[in-house]
Amino acid sequence: MNNRALSASCSPNIRVAVLGAGGLGRGMVAMLAQRSGLLCVALADTTGYCYQPLGLGPEALAGVSQVDQLPEAVPSKQAIIALLQEHGQQLDALFLAIPNLPVTLYAETMRQIAESTPFQGVVVDALKRTQAVEHLLPLDGLYRSQRLLHITGAGATPGFLTTVAAVAAQSFVEVLSVDIHFGVGVANWEAYRATIREDFLHLEGFDAERVQAMTDAEIESELNAREGLLHLTNMEHADDIILELAGVCPRDRVTVGGVVDTRHAKKPVSTTVTITGRTVSGAVGSHRFVVSDECTMVDNVCGPAVGFICRAALLHQHGTYGLLNSAELMPRFKPKTMPYQASSLALPQADEALLAAGV
Ligand code: NAD
């Protein structure tokens, strides 16, 4: 198969481990079962890991609330590292859907993977917070030496919506603002504990320390006081640092907020991304992208993450290693004057690899 055909069809047989078996991890297992060229072969959570070289589908998870309940599971309190130490060489890609609380968890987990396991493939994450990305940045050199390629911020927001903004920016000579406003509806908050718990960080009177110390019963009682609705503004969301690193605009021009209904699957509001910019002629205009209300949070996180796994696998095959973010894989925005210093990571290397791959 030539490179162009490979890129169009997605590399065959990408063996994926899903790390985190909550709402998004399970959603990813279901998504992978309906996409071709990828196979979910492993799942891990805080209780253990399960490795199934012939494939692990959503039917295996029916009635199972944690991974150590699966037949052939290996119980472990360090399940991700245990899985990768044992089977790292039989895996091509990792999807990371673990909590952002503490905010260092993604970076600590990735450092351990790079330093103490034989895994040398691609990693795609669905992290959310700006600080979580900041903690990952110093790992770029380590990743290169270990032949790892990590695409960060590859869920929905950051991810899907951030990359929409990066593409929409191309109509302008300067991006003045990016406003992301999301609607999420989940019938039962306990299916997405980390996601909902982390949303509390952005409510008045809450901070990381307080939210981390809260019991599930306390979260439930706060939700009851709000009739299950969370109104979120000025969130610490990594869309800002990702768009800055990709050269689209300084992070203070990016705002993220939304409404989350924790009692109904129907979205309380439609999700939109509005990109406002100055055109060549000096006019100011806005593009607005509206996400279908039929697409759930899982669709919008796991679908794009699968696409990033496929793209990352191709880049990895062509020798690209290091840390990249989702928006850095989009058309590059290069305004004449940069009102800030964008730190480019492995991007020139990625450009070369894309050229070599003919994509
Ligand atoms: P969840 O609470 O339902 O599941 C988290 C899973 O991670 C659980 O299975 C838990 O056992 C496992 N886990 C926790 N710590 C672990 C560790 N140290 N080792 C192994 N497994 C561990 O959470 P969720 O709702 O699926 O969300 C997962 C993450 O996805 C959250 O951080 C959330 O912020 C993020 N998220 C991102 C987006 C996006 O668009 N980028 C959208 C929604 C959620």
Side-chain angles (χ1 to χ4, degrees):
M1 195 184 287
N2 66 30
N3 287 335
R4 196 166 288 282
L6 190 66
S7 69
S9 68
C10 179
S11 307
N13 306 322
I14 300 175
R15 297 162 299 176
V16 184
V18 175
L19 308 180
L24 290 188
R26 286 160 178 268
M28 183 53 115
V29 174
M31 181 65 74
L32 287 170
Q34 294 204 38
R35 296 277 188 104
S36 68
L38 306 99
L39 186 65
C40 176
V41 295
L43 187 63
D45 69 2
T46 48
T47 68
Y49 73 81
C50 182
Y51 175 71
Q52 296 278 357
L54 296 181
L56 184 69
E59 62 290 341
L61 300 179
V64 167
S65 62
Q66 50 191 49
V67 171
D68 66 351
Q69 295 166 356
L70 286 166
E72 299 176 46
V74 178
S76 170
K77 288 194 168 20
Q78 282 284 311
I80 293 177
I81 301 306
L83 165 70
L84 295 177
Q85 280 175 343
E86 193 63 28
H87 299 289
Q89 284 163 323
Q90 290 126 17
L91 295 168
D92 303 307
L94 312 179
F95 173 62
L96 264 178
I98 56 177
N100 284 222
L101 259 181
V103 76
T104 50
L105 185 59
Y106 278 80
E108 282 165 6
T109 304
M110 283 310 304
R111 180 175 290 282
Q112 267 188 295
I113 290 173
E115 285 180 344
S116 67
T117 82
F119 176 73
Q120 291 190 326
V122 306
V123 183
V124 164
D125 69 53
L127 60 63
K128 263 206 207 164
R129 296 176 59 193
T130 307
Q131 291 175 60
V133 172
E134 282 168 344
H135 286 291
L136 285 172
L137 296 180
L139 298 183
D140 182 49
L142 177 64
Y143 286 163
R144 288 173 194 236
S145 67
Q146 298 301 311
R147 296 173 171 247
L148 288 168
L149 173 60
H150 182 168
I151 312 296
T152 190
T157 174
F160 178 13
L161 307 183
T162 338
T163 53
V164 164
V167 174
Q170 307 300 326
S171 304
F172 303 116
V173 295
E174 183 184 5
V175 171
L176 302 174
S177 66
V178 175
D179 181 42
I180 292 173
H181 194 260
F182 61 79
V184 167
V186 295
N188 167 21
W189 85 273
E190 290 181 327
Y192 301 94
R193 279 199 175 93
T195 301
I196 304 303
R197 182 177 281 273
E198 288 162 26
D199 284 341
F200 272 80
L201 295 174
H202 311 285
L203 296 173
E204 210 177 309
F206 292 85
D207 60 20
E209 205 178 333
R210 178 170 174 201
V211 173
Q212 221 170 331
M214 286 168 77
T215 62
D216 281 355
E218 286 168 334
I219 296 274
E220 180 88 44
S221 135
E222 287 289 344
L223 289 173
N224 287 340
R226 293 169 167 76
E227 297 182 340
L229 283 176
L230 299 177
H231 293 271
L232 304 160
T233 52
N234 286 325
M235 300 176 80
E236 183 220 327
H237 248 243
D239 306 82
D240 61 358
I241 187 171
I242 284 176
L243 286 170
E244 181 173 285
L245 288 166
V248 173
C249 63
R251 69 178 80 181
D252 62 7
R253 294 186 188 180
V254 181
T255 49
V256 180
V259 186
V260 180
D261 187 339
T262 60
R263 293 184 178 169
H264 306 97
K266 189 176 174 342
K267 288 185 187 185
V269 293
S270 296
T271 296
T272 58
V273 192
T274 309
I275 303 93
T276 301
R278 194 166 48 78
T279 68
V280 169
S281 66
V284 170
S286 295
H287 291 308
R288 175 169 286 195
F289 180 86
V290 184
V291 177
S292 165
D293 288 343
E294 299 309 314
C295 292
T296 64
M297 180 171 74
V298 165
D299 296 325
N300 295 325
V301 172
C302 299
V306 169
F308 281 109
I309 290 174
C310 295
R311 174 60 70 227
L314 184 65
L315 287 170
H316 189 265
Q317 199 178 319
H318 286 271
T320 299
Y321 313 119
L323 180 74
L324 286 171
N325 70 54
S326 52
E328 284 172 314
L329 296 185
M330 292 295 109
R332 294 190 70 186
F333 187 63
K334 290 200 168 192
K336 195 88 178 163
T337 50
M338 292 283 252
Y340 61 97
Q341 182 66 40
S343 46
S344 96
L345 297 171
L347 197 55
Q349 197 194 356
D351 286 348
E352 282 165 25
L354 285 164
L355 276 175
V359 291

